[in-house]
Coordinates of all heavy atoms in Angstrom, one line a residue:
M1 N 0.8 -13.5 20.8 CA 0.4 -12.2 20.1 C 1.6 -11.6 19.4 O 1.5 -11.1 18.4 CB -0.2 -11.3 21.2 CG -0.7 -10.0 20.5 SD -2.1 -10.2 19.6 CE -2.9 -8.7 19.8
D2 N 2.8 -11.7 20.0 CA 4.0 -11.2 19.4 C 4.3 -11.8 18.0 O 4.7 -11.1 17.1 CB 5.2 -11.3 20.3 CG 5.2 -10.4 21.5 OD1 4.4 -9.3 21.4 OD2 5.9 -10.6 22.5
A3 N 4.0 -13.1 17.9 CA 4.2 -13.8 16.6 C 3.3 -13.2 15.6 O 3.6 -13.1 14.4 CB 4.1 -15.3 16.8
A4 N 2.0 -13.0 15.9 CA 1.0 -12.5 15.0 C 1.4 -11.0 14.6 O 1.3 -10.7 13.4 CB -0.3 -12.5 15.6
I5 N 1.9 -10.2 15.5 CA 2.3 -8.9 15.2 C 3.5 -8.9 14.2 O 3.6 -8.2 13.3 CB 2.6 -8.1 16.4 CG1 1.3 -7.8 17.2 CG2 3.3 -6.7 16.1 CD1 1.5 -7.3 18.6
D6 N 4.5 -9.8 14.5 CA 5.6 -9.9 13.7 C 5.2 -10.4 12.3 O 5.7 -9.9 11.3 CB 6.6 -10.9 14.2 CG 7.4 -10.4 15.4 OD1 7.4 -9.1 15.6 OD2 8.1 -11.2 16.1
A7 N 4.3 -11.3 12.2 CA 3.8 -11.7 10.8 C 3.2 -10.6 10.1 O 3.4 -10.5 8.9 CB 2.8 -12.9 11.0
I8 N 2.4 -9.8 10.7 CA 1.7 -8.7 10.1 C 2.8 -7.7 9.6 O 2.7 -7.2 8.4 CB 0.8 -8.0 11.1 CG1 -0.5 -8.8 11.4 CG2 0.3 -6.6 10.6 CD1 -1.3 -8.3 12.5
K9 N 3.8 -7.4 10.4 CA 4.8 -6.5 10.0 C 5.7 -7.0 8.9 O 6.0 -6.2 8.0 CB 5.7 -6.1 11.2 CG 5.0 -5.2 12.2 CD 5.9 -4.8 13.4 CE 5.3 -3.9 14.3 NZ 6.2 -3.5 15.4
W10 N 6.0 -8.3 8.9 CA 6.7 -8.9 7.8 C 6.0 -8.9 6.5 O 6.5 -8.6 5.4 CB 7.2 -10.3 8.1 CG 8.5 -10.3 8.9 CD1 8.6 -10.6 10.2 CD2 9.8 -9.8 8.5 NE1 9.9 -10.4 10.6 CE2 10.7 -9.9 9.6 CE3 10.3 -9.4 7.3 CZ2 12.0 -9.6 9.5 CZ3 11.6 -9.0 7.2 CH2 12.5 -9.2 8.3
F11 N 4.6 -9.1 6.6 CA 3.8 -9.0 5.4 C 3.8 -7.6 4.8 O 4.0 -7.4 3.6 CB 2.4 -9.5 5.6 CG 1.4 -9.1 4.5 CD1 1.4 -9.9 3.3 CD2 0.7 -8.0 4.6 CE1 0.6 -9.5 2.3 CE2 -0.2 -7.6 3.5 CZ -0.2 -8.4 2.4
A12 N 3.6 -6.6 5.7 CA 3.6 -5.2 5.3 C 4.9 -4.8 4.7 O 4.9 -4.2 3.6 CB 3.4 -4.4 6.6
S13 N 6.0 -5.3 5.2 CA 7.3 -4.9 4.7 C 7.5 -5.6 3.3 O 7.9 -4.9 2.4 CB 8.4 -5.4 5.7 OG 9.7 -5.1 5.2
G14 N 7.2 -6.9 3.2 CA 7.4 -7.6 1.9 C 6.5 -7.0 0.8 O 6.9 -6.8 -0.3
A15 N 5.2 -6.7 1.2 CA 4.3 -6.2 0.2 C 4.8 -4.8 -0.3 O 4.7 -4.6 -1.5 CB 2.9 -6.1 0.8
G16 N 5.2 -4.0 0.6 CA 5.7 -2.7 0.2 C 6.9 -2.8 -0.7 O 7.1 -2.1 -1.7
M17 N 7.8 -3.7 -0.4 CA 9.0 -3.9 -1.3 C 8.7 -4.4 -2.7 O 9.2 -3.9 -3.7 CB 10.1 -4.8 -0.6 CG 10.7 -4.2 0.6 SD 12.0 -5.2 1.3 CE 11.1 -6.3 2.4
I18 N 7.8 -5.3 -2.7 CA 7.3 -5.9 -4.0 C 6.6 -4.8 -4.8 O 6.9 -4.7 -6.0 CB 6.5 -7.1 -3.8 CG1 7.3 -8.3 -3.3 CG2 5.8 -7.6 -5.1 CD1 6.5 -9.5 -2.8
A19 N 5.7 -4.1 -4.2 CA 5.0 -3.0 -4.9 C 6.0 -1.9 -5.4 O 5.9 -1.5 -6.6 CB 4.0 -2.3 -3.9
A20 N 7.0 -1.6 -4.6 CA 8.0 -0.6 -5.1 C 8.7 -1.1 -6.3 O 9.0 -0.4 -7.2 CB 8.9 -0.2 -3.9
L21 N 9.1 -2.4 -6.2 CA 9.8 -3.0 -7.3 C 9.0 -3.0 -8.6 O 9.5 -2.6 -9.7 CB 10.2 -4.4 -7.0 CG 10.9 -5.2 -8.1 CD1 12.2 -4.6 -8.5 CD2 11.1 -6.7 -7.7
V22 N 7.7 -3.3 -8.5 CA 6.9 -3.4 -9.7 C 6.8 -1.9 -10.3 O 6.8 -1.8 -11.5 CB 5.5 -3.9 -9.4 CG1 4.5 -3.7 -10.5 CG2 5.6 -5.4 -9.0
I23 N 6.6 -0.9 -9.5 CA 6.5 0.4 -10.0 C 7.8 0.9 -10.6 O 7.9 1.5 -11.7 CB 6.1 1.4 -8.9 CG1 4.6 1.1 -8.6 CG2 6.3 2.8 -9.3 CD1 4.0 1.9 -7.4
A24 N 9.0 0.5 -9.9 CA 10.3 0.9 -10.5 C 10.6 0.2 -11.8 O 11.2 0.8 -12.7 CB 11.4 0.5 -9.5
L25 N 10.0 -1.0 -12.0 CA 10.2 -1.7 -13.3 C 9.4 -1.1 -14.4 O 9.7 -1.4 -15.6 CB 9.9 -3.2 -13.1 CG 10.8 -4.0 -12.3 CD1 10.3 -5.4 -12.1 CD2 12.2 -4.1 -12.9
D26 N 8.5 -0.3 -14.1 CA 7.6 0.4 -15.1 C 7.1 -0.6 -16.1 O 7.3 -0.5 -17.3 CB 8.5 1.5 -15.8 CG 7.6 2.5 -16.6 OD1 6.4 2.5 -16.4 OD2 8.1 3.2 -17.5
L27 N 6.3 -1.5 -15.6 CA 5.7 -2.6 -16.5 C 4.4 -2.2 -17.1 O 3.8 -3.0 -17.7 CB 5.5 -3.8 -15.6 CG 6.8 -4.4 -15.0 CD1 6.4 -5.5 -14.0 CD2 7.8 -4.9 -16.0
G28 N 4.0 -1.0 -17.0 CA 2.8 -0.5 -17.6 C 1.8 0.0 -16.6 O 1.9 -0.2 -15.4
R29 N 0.8 0.6 -17.1 CA -0.3 1.2 -16.3 C -1.0 0.2 -15.4 O -1.2 0.4 -14.2 CB -1.2 2.0 -17.2 CG -2.3 2.7 -16.5 CD -3.1 3.6 -17.5 NE -4.1 4.4 -16.8 CZ -3.8 5.6 -16.2 NH1 -2.6 6.0 -16.3 NH2 -4.7 6.2 -15.6
R30 N -1.4 -0.9 -16.0 CA -2.1 -1.9 -15.2 C -1.3 -2.5 -14.1 O -1.7 -2.7 -13.0 CB -2.6 -3.0 -16.2 CG -3.6 -3.9 -15.5 CD -4.4 -4.7 -16.6 NE -5.5 -5.4 -16.1 CZ -6.7 -4.8 -15.7 NH1 -6.9 -3.6 -15.8 NH2 -7.7 -5.6 -15.2
A31 N 0.0 -2.9 -14.4 CA 0.9 -3.4 -13.4 C 1.1 -2.4 -12.3 O 1.1 -2.7 -11.1 CB 2.2 -3.8 -14.0
T32 N 1.2 -1.1 -12.6 CA 1.4 -0.1 -11.6 C 0.2 0.0 -10.8 O 0.3 0.2 -9.5 CB 1.7 1.3 -12.3 OG1 3.0 1.1 -13.0 CG2 1.8 2.4 -11.3
G33 N -1.0 -0.1 -11.4 CA -2.2 0.0 -10.6 C -2.3 -1.2 -9.6 O -2.7 -1.0 -8.4
W34 N -1.9 -2.4 -10.0 CA -1.9 -3.5 -9.1 C -0.9 -3.4 -8.0 O -1.0 -3.8 -6.9 CB -1.8 -4.8 -9.8 CG -3.1 -5.2 -10.4 CD1 -3.5 -5.1 -11.7 CD2 -4.3 -5.6 -9.7 NE1 -4.8 -5.4 -11.9 CE2 -5.3 -5.7 -10.7 CE3 -4.6 -5.8 -8.4 CZ2 -6.6 -6.1 -10.4 CZ3 -5.9 -6.2 -8.1 CH2 -6.9 -6.4 -9.0
A35 N 0.2 -2.7 -8.3 CA 1.3 -2.4 -7.3 C 0.7 -1.5 -6.3 O 0.9 -1.6 -5.1 CB 2.5 -1.8 -8.0
F36 N -0.1 -0.5 -6.7 CA -0.8 0.4 -5.7 C -1.8 -0.4 -4.8 O -1.9 -0.1 -3.7 CB -1.5 1.5 -6.4 CG -0.5 2.7 -6.6 CD1 -0.1 3.0 -7.9 CD2 0.0 3.4 -5.6 CE1 0.7 4.1 -8.1 CE2 0.8 4.5 -5.8 CZ 1.2 4.8 -7.1
V37 N -2.4 -1.4 -5.4 CA -3.3 -2.3 -4.6 C -2.5 -3.0 -3.5 O -2.9 -3.1 -2.3 CB -4.0 -3.3 -5.5 CG1 -4.8 -4.4 -4.6 CG2 -5.0 -2.6 -6.4
L38 N -1.3 -3.4 -3.9 CA -0.4 -4.1 -2.9 C 0.1 -3.1 -1.9 O 0.2 -3.4 -0.7 CB 0.8 -4.7 -3.7 CG 1.6 -5.7 -2.9 CD1 0.8 -6.8 -2.3 CD2 2.6 -6.3 -3.9
F39 N 0.4 -1.8 -2.3 CA 0.7 -0.8 -1.4 C -0.4 -0.5 -0.4 O -0.2 -0.3 0.8 CB 1.0 0.5 -2.1 CG 2.5 0.7 -2.4 CD1 2.8 1.3 -3.6 CD2 3.5 0.4 -1.5 CE1 4.2 1.5 -4.0 CE2 4.8 0.6 -1.8 CZ 5.2 1.1 -3.1
V40 N -1.7 -0.6 -0.8 CA -2.8 -0.4 0.0 C -2.8 -1.5 1.1 O -3.0 -1.2 2.3 CB -4.2 -0.4 -0.7 CG1 -5.4 -0.6 0.2 CG2 -4.3 0.9 -1.6
A41 N -2.6 -2.7 0.7 CA -2.6 -3.9 1.6 C -1.4 -3.7 2.6 O -1.6 -3.9 3.8 CB -2.4 -5.2 0.9
S42 N -0.3 -3.2 2.1 CA 0.9 -2.9 3.0 C 0.5 -1.9 4.0 O 0.8 -2.0 5.2 CB 2.1 -2.5 2.1 OG 3.1 -2.2 3.0
S43 N -0.1 -0.8 3.6 CA -0.5 0.3 4.5 C -1.5 -0.2 5.6 O -1.3 0.2 6.8 CB -1.1 1.5 3.7 OG -0.2 2.1 2.9
V44 N -2.4 -1.0 5.2 CA -3.4 -1.6 6.2 C -2.6 -2.4 7.2 O -2.9 -2.3 8.4 CB -4.5 -2.3 5.4 CG1 -5.3 -3.1 6.4 CG2 -5.4 -1.4 4.6
A45 N -1.7 -3.3 6.7 CA -1.0 -4.1 7.6 C -0.1 -3.3 8.5 O 0.0 -3.6 9.7 CB -0.2 -5.2 6.8
W46 N 0.6 -2.3 8.0 CA 1.4 -1.5 8.8 C 0.6 -0.8 9.9 O 1.0 -0.6 11.0 CB 2.2 -0.4 8.0 CG 3.5 -0.9 7.5 CD1 3.9 -1.0 6.2 CD2 4.6 -1.5 8.3 NE1 5.2 -1.5 6.1 CE2 5.6 -1.8 7.4 CE3 4.8 -1.7 9.6 CZ2 6.9 -2.3 7.8 CZ3 6.0 -2.2 10.0 CH2 7.0 -2.5 9.1
F47 N -0.6 -0.3 9.5 CA -1.5 0.4 10.4 C -1.9 -0.6 11.5 O -1.9 -0.2 12.7 CB -2.7 1.0 9.7 CG -3.6 1.8 10.6 CD1 -3.3 3.1 10.9 CD2 -4.6 1.2 11.3 CE1 -4.1 3.8 11.8 CE2 -5.4 1.9 12.2 CZ -5.2 3.2 12.4
A48 N -2.3 -1.8 11.1 CA -2.7 -2.8 12.2 C -1.5 -3.1 13.1 O -1.7 -3.1 14.3 CB -3.1 -4.1 11.5
G49 N -0.3 -3.3 12.6 CA 0.8 -3.6 13.4 C 1.1 -2.4 14.4 O 1.4 -2.6 15.5
A50 N 1.0 -1.2 13.8 CA 1.2 0.0 14.6 C 0.2 0.2 15.7 O 0.5 0.5 16.9 CB 1.3 1.2 13.7
W51 N -1.1 -0.1 15.4 CA -2.1 0.0 16.4 C -1.9 -1.0 17.5 O -2.1 -0.7 18.7 CB -3.5 -0.2 15.7 CG -4.7 -0.2 16.6 CD1 -5.1 0.9 17.3 CD2 -5.5 -1.3 16.9 NE1 -6.2 0.6 18.0 CE2 -6.5 -0.8 17.8 CE3 -5.6 -2.6 16.5 CZ2 -7.5 -1.5 18.3 CZ3 -6.6 -3.4 17.0 CH2 -7.6 -2.8 17.8
L52 N -1.5 -2.2 17.1 CA -1.3 -3.3 18.1 C -0.2 -3.0 19.0 O -0.1 -3.6 20.2 CB -1.2 -4.6 17.4 CG -2.4 -5.2 16.8 CD1 -2.1 -6.4 15.9 CD2 -3.5 -5.6 17.8
T53 N 0.8 -2.2 18.6 CA 2.0 -1.9 19.4 C 2.0 -0.4 19.9 O 3.0 0.0 20.5 CB 3.2 -2.1 18.6 OG1 3.3 -1.3 17.4 CG2 3.4 -3.6 18.3
D54 N 0.8 0.3 19.8 CA 0.7 1.7 20.2 C 1.8 2.6 19.6 O 2.3 3.5 20.3 CB 0.7 1.8 21.7 CG -0.5 1.2 22.4 OD1 -1.6 1.3 21.7 OD2 -0.4 0.6 23.5
D55 N 2.1 2.4 18.3 CA 3.1 3.2 17.6 C 2.3 4.2 16.8 O 2.1 3.9 15.6 CB 4.0 2.3 16.8 CG 5.2 3.1 16.2 OD1 5.1 4.4 16.2 OD2 6.1 2.4 15.7
W56 N 1.9 5.3 17.3 CA 1.0 6.2 16.7 C 1.6 7.0 15.6 O 0.9 7.4 14.6 CB 0.2 7.0 17.7 CG -0.6 6.1 18.6 CD1 -0.4 5.9 19.9 CD2 -1.6 5.2 18.2 NE1 -1.2 4.9 20.3 CE2 -2.0 4.5 19.3 CE3 -2.3 5.0 17.0 CZ2 -3.0 3.5 19.2 CZ3 -3.3 4.0 16.9 CH2 -3.6 3.3 18.0
A57 N 2.9 7.2 15.6 CA 3.6 7.9 14.5 C 3.5 7.0 13.3 O 3.2 7.5 12.2 CB 5.0 8.2 14.9
L58 N 3.8 5.7 13.4 CA 3.7 4.8 12.3 C 2.3 4.6 11.8 O 2.0 4.6 10.6 CB 4.3 3.4 12.7 CG 4.4 2.4 11.6 CD1 5.3 2.9 10.4 CD2 4.9 1.1 12.2
A59 N 1.3 4.6 12.7 CA -0.1 4.5 12.3 C -0.5 5.7 11.5 O -1.2 5.6 10.5 CB -0.9 4.3 13.6
T60 N -0.1 6.9 12.0 CA -0.5 8.1 11.3 C 0.1 8.2 9.9 O -0.6 8.5 8.9 CB 0.0 9.4 12.1 OG1 -0.6 9.3 13.3 CG2 -0.4 10.6 11.3
Q61 N 1.4 7.8 9.8 CA 2.1 7.8 8.5 C 1.3 6.8 7.5 O 1.1 7.2 6.4 CB 3.5 7.3 8.6 CG 4.2 7.1 7.3 CD 5.6 6.4 7.5 OE1 5.9 5.8 8.5 NE2 6.4 6.4 6.4
N62 N 1.0 5.7 8.0 CA 0.3 4.7 7.1 C -1.1 5.0 6.8 O -1.7 4.6 5.8 CB 0.6 3.3 7.6 CG 2.0 2.9 7.1 OD1 2.2 2.5 6.0 ND2 3.0 3.0 8.0
G63 N -1.8 5.8 7.7 CA -3.1 6.3 7.4 C -3.0 7.2 6.2 O -3.9 7.1 5.3
V64 N -2.0 8.1 6.2 CA -1.9 9.0 5.1 C -1.4 8.3 3.8 O -2.0 8.5 2.7 CB -0.8 10.1 5.4 CG1 -0.5 11.0 4.2 CG2 -1.4 11.0 6.6
L65 N -0.5 7.3 3.9 CA -0.1 6.5 2.8 C -1.2 5.7 2.2 O -1.3 5.5 1.0 CB 1.1 5.6 3.1 CG 2.4 6.4 3.4 CD1 3.5 5.4 3.9 CD2 2.9 7.1 2.2
F66 N -2.1 5.2 3.1 CA -3.3 4.5 2.6 C -4.1 5.4 1.6 O -4.5 4.9 0.6 CB -4.1 4.1 3.8 CG -5.4 3.4 3.5 CD1 -5.5 2.1 3.1 CD2 -6.6 4.2 3.6 CE1 -6.7 1.5 2.7 CE2 -7.8 3.6 3.3 CZ -7.9 2.2 2.8
A67 N -4.3 6.6 2.0 CA -5.1 7.5 1.2 C -4.4 7.8 -0.1 O -5.0 7.8 -1.2 CB -5.4 8.8 1.9
I68 N -3.1 8.0 -0.1 CA -2.3 8.3 -1.3 C -2.3 7.1 -2.2 O -2.5 7.2 -3.4 CB -0.9 8.6 -0.9 CG1 -0.8 10.0 -0.2 CG2 0.0 8.6 -2.2 CD1 0.5 10.3 0.4
N69 N -2.2 5.9 -1.6 CA -2.2 4.6 -2.4 C -3.6 4.4 -3.0 O -3.7 3.9 -4.2 CB -1.8 3.5 -1.6 CG -0.3 3.6 -1.2 OD1 0.5 4.1 -1.9 ND2 0.0 3.1 0.0
L70 N -4.7 4.8 -2.3 CA -6.0 4.7 -2.9 C -6.1 5.6 -4.2 O -6.7 5.2 -5.2 CB -7.1 5.0 -1.9 CG -7.4 4.0 -0.9 CD1 -8.5 4.5 0.1 CD2 -7.9 2.7 -1.5
L71 N -5.5 6.7 -4.1 CA -5.4 7.6 -5.2 C -4.7 7.0 -6.4 O -5.2 7.0 -7.6 CB -4.8 9.0 -4.9 CG -4.6 9.9 -6.0 CD1 -5.9 10.4 -6.6 CD2 -3.8 11.1 -5.5
G72 N -3.6 6.3 -6.1 CA -2.9 5.5 -7.2 C -3.8 4.4 -7.8 O -3.8 4.3 -9.0
V73 N -4.5 3.7 -6.9 CA -5.4 2.7 -7.5 C -6.4 3.3 -8.4 O -6.7 2.8 -9.5 CB -6.1 1.9 -6.3 CG1 -7.2 1.0 -6.9 CG2 -5.1 1.1 -5.5
Y74 N -7.0 4.4 -7.9 CA -8.0 5.1 -8.7 C -7.5 5.5 -10.1 O -8.0 5.3 -11.1 CB -8.6 6.3 -8.0 CG -9.5 7.2 -8.8 CD1 -10.8 6.7 -9.2 CD2 -9.0 8.4 -9.3 CE1 -11.6 7.5 -10.0 CE2 -9.8 9.1 -10.2 CZ -11.1 8.7 -10.5 OH -11.9 9.5 -11.3
R75 N -6.3 6.2 -10.0 CA -5.7 6.8 -11.3 C -5.3 5.7 -12.2 O -5.4 5.9 -13.4 CB -4.5 7.6 -10.9 CG -4.9 8.9 -10.2 CD -3.8 9.9 -10.3 NE -3.4 10.0 -11.7 CZ -2.7 10.9 -12.2 NH1 -2.2 11.8 -11.4 NH2 -2.4 10.9 -13.5
H76 N -4.8 4.5 -11.8 CA -4.2 3.5 -12.7 C -5.2 2.4 -13.0 O -5.0 1.7 -14.0 CB -2.9 3.0 -12.1 CG -1.8 4.0 -12.1 ND1 -1.1 4.2 -13.1 CD2 -1.4 4.8 -11.1 CE1 -0.2 5.2 -12.9 NE2 -0.4 5.6 -11.6
L77 N -6.2 2.1 -12.2 CA -7.1 1.0 -12.4 C -8.5 1.4 -12.7 O -9.2 0.7 -13.4 CB -7.0 0.0 -11.3 CG -5.7 -0.8 -11.1 CD1 -5.9 -1.7 -9.9 CD2 -5.4 -1.6 -12.4
I78 N -9.0 2.5 -12.1 CA -10.4 2.8 -12.2 C -10.7 4.0 -13.2 O -11.6 3.8 -14.1 CB -10.9 3.2 -10.8 CG1 -10.8 2.0 -9.9 CG2 -12.4 3.7 -10.9 CD1 -11.0 2.3 -8.4
R79 N -10.0 5.0 -13.1 CA -10.2 6.2 -14.0 C -9.9 5.9 -15.4 O -8.9 5.3 -15.7 CB -9.4 7.4 -13.5 CG -9.6 8.7 -14.3 CD -8.7 9.8 -13.8 NE -7.4 9.5 -14.3 CZ -6.4 10.4 -14.3 NH1 -6.7 11.6 -13.8 NH2 -5.3 10.1 -14.7
R80 N -10.8 6.4 -16.3 CA -10.5 6.3 -17.7 C -9.5 7.4 -18.1 O -9.8 8.5 -17.8 CB -11.8 6.4 -18.5 CG -12.7 5.2 -18.3 CD -13.9 5.4 -19.3 NE -13.5 4.7 -20.5 CZ -14.1 3.5 -20.9 NH1 -14.9 3.0 -20.1 NH2 -13.7 3.0 -22.0
R81 N -8.6 7.1 -18.9 CA -7.6 8.1 -19.4 C -8.3 8.9 -20.5 O -9.0 8.4 -21.3 CB -6.4 7.4 -19.9 CG -5.5 6.8 -18.8 CD -4.3 6.1 -19.3 NE -3.5 7.0 -20.1 CZ -2.4 6.6 -20.6 NH1 -1.9 5.4 -20.5 NH2 -1.6 7.5 -21.3
A82 N -7.9 10.2 -20.5 CA -8.5 11.1 -21.5 C -8.1 10.7 -22.9 O -8.9 10.9 -23.8 CB -8.1 12.5 -21.2
D83 N -6.9 10.1 -23.1 CA -6.4 9.8 -24.4 C -6.8 8.4 -24.8 O -6.4 7.9 -25.9 CB -4.9 10.0 -24.5 CG -4.1 9.1 -23.5 OD1 -4.7 8.6 -22.5 OD2 -2.9 8.9 -23.7
A84 N -7.5 7.7 -24.0 CA -7.9 6.2 -24.3 C -9.1 6.1 -25.1 O -9.9 7.0 -25.3 CB -8.1 5.5 -23.0

């Protein structure tokens, strides 16, 4: 079980770093939207890892980040821009 938890946490960490890099590179609205999708996956993985290890502070943080990242997905991939 420890190997599975480690794999989940490494995925979460890597996904978060890649998403942050894509947003920092400012590659455009669509790329930013997909980075938020990756952030959503990272938040889910961090939440799962936290739940499996009874780390409720980390689980709470990533529950909130999950909601924020869903907002990013909505704003960048789903919502139509007013000037479009």
Side-chain angles (χ1 to χ4, degrees):
M1 183 71 149
D2 287 339
I5 293 170
D6 285 344
I8 291 168
K9 289 181 176 181
W10 277 111
F11 168 79
S13 181
M17 289 184 278
I18 292 168
L21 176 63
V22 170
I23 289 174
L25 290 173
D26 194 17
L27 299 172
R29 184 173 185 83
R30 190 161 191 79
T32 297
W34 283 106
F36 275 110
V37 170
L38 197 51
F39 269 139
V40 166
S42 176
S43 294
V44 169
W46 273 123
F47 184 87
W51 179 64
L52 291 169
T53 59
D54 292 326
D55 187 346
W56 298 112
L58 185 61
T60 301
Q61 174 191 13
N62 280 281
V64 172
L65 290 175
F66 174 78
I68 293 168
N69 294 327
L70 284 179
L71 176 62
V73 170
Y74 171 75
R75 290 199 52 165
H76 291 277
L77 292 179
I78 298 170
R79 183 182 74 163
R80 293 187 90 106
R81 291 178 57 179
D83 60 342

